[in-house]
Amino acid sequence: MRVVIAEDNALLREGLVLLLTSSGHEVVAVVGTGPEIMPALLEHRPDVAVLDVRMPPGFRDEGLRAALEAREKIPGLPVLVLSQYVEESYAAELLGGGTSGIGYLLKDRVGRVDEFLDALERVRAGGTALDPEVVTELLTRRRDTPLDSLTPREREVLKLMAEGHDNTTIASTLVVTERAVSKHIGNVLLKLDLPPSDSGHRRVLAVLTYLAHTPK
């Protein structure tokens, strides 16, 4: 298979190249910074991309952002993301776009050659490869707050409600109908288990719940 590697650690980067080439795969591009990722992917259109989550220059989520962007610009591109630690929010965001051809492994897993190559092949074939520790984190943290039961769109609606916008403005902002907004709000109130009463009062309670469980 043809592979693009994005990893800033030179030792691990060269180790990945050696591992893949010795296993009969072709490494078509190797990059060490976030801004280099998309040009390499667009130029080479690999069978699979292996991307570190945190890359220069910011060492935040450059690799993840590139993975999400690549999946939009190259639909169906298989992506295997590597991370030093379990970062549940990153894993959840990556998986939120669909699980076909997606992998998320801790870097320690690379040292287990057979496991790593098997995960890479599964991702290339359109499957999913999640590190067991990542799965554990997702299962234990995803229901920590009442907001976790909301869909991304319902969260957007609730956020705009918290900012004080009415249904008309929310509909305009999200480019949906007011009827759709009303439906989302109804789902939010239901999922937050707010008592049936005056609708305006329930909206206030929903906003208070949002503010109470949103990081400052």
Side-chain angles (χ1 to χ4, degrees):
M1 72 182 80
R2 300 170 65 254
V3 185
V4 166
I5 297 173
E7 169 59 55
D8 67 291
N9 184 297
L11 185 60
L12 179 56
R13 187 168 63 235
E14 294 307 313
L16 285 169
V17 172
L18 180 61
L19 171 60
L20 292 172
T21 54
S22 63
S23 299
H25 305 302
E26 179 186 3
V27 177
V28 295
V30 180
V31 301
T33 68
E36 296 177 281
I37 298 175
M38 278 309 303
L41 293 176
L42 292 172
E43 177 183 352
H44 296 283
R45 305 269 172 162
D47 297 317
V48 61
V50 179
L51 312 177
D52 186 7
V53 166
R54 299 188 178 192
M55 298 281 290
F59 292 100
R60 294 178 61 83
D61 58 359
E62 289 81 0
L64 174 73
R65 293 295 158 207
L68 295 172
E69 182 181 357
R71 299 271 289 183
E72 290 183 0
K73 293 186 176 180
I74 312 175
L77 174 68
V79 175
L80 177 59
V81 171
L82 302 178
S83 180
Q84 188 68 45
Y85 309 104
V86 177
E87 299 178 272
E88 178 266 342
S89 60
Y90 290 167
E93 185 166 3
L94 184 65
L95 293 169
T99 57
S100 176
I102 285 292
Y104 190 110
L105 297 181
L106 296 183
K107 290 185 177 181
D108 289 347
R109 201 70 56 182
V110 177
R112 304 172 189 179
V113 176
D114 290 340
E115 289 185 29
F116 173 72
L117 292 176
D118 177 66
L120 190 66
E121 180 59 42
R122 274 187 285 135
V123 170
R124 185 204 65 80
T128 303
L130 294 181
D131 196 286
E133 291 188 38
V134 174
V135 174
T136 299
E137 290 292 330
L138 287 172
L139 290 176
T140 56
R141 293 187 187 179
R142 292 309 291 163
R143 297 288 178 173
D144 282 353
T145 77
L147 302 182
D148 290 329
S149 63
L150 304 183
T151 66
R153 177 61 85 187
E154 289 164 356
R155 282 174 173 266
E156 288 179 323
V157 170
L158 181 53
K159 179 177 183 293
L160 290 170
M161 285 170 58
E163 292 174 0
H165 300 300
D166 59 19
N167 288 17
T168 301
T169 303
I170 293 174
S172 176
T173 302
L174 299 180
V175 195
V176 298
T177 65
E178 288 192 44
R179 181 177 179 180
V181 171
S182 296
K183 181 178 179 180
H184 288 310
I185 292 175
N187 289 337
V188 168
L189 299 177
L190 182 64
K191 290 181 178 180
L192 295 184
D193 196 28
L194 295 175
S197 60
D198 175 73
S199 60
H201 179 59
R202 295 177 78 196
R203 286 178 72 111
V204 172
L205 291 177
V207 168
L208 291 175
T209 301
Y210 173 82
L211 295 175
H213 296 285
T214 301
K216 302 298 187 292

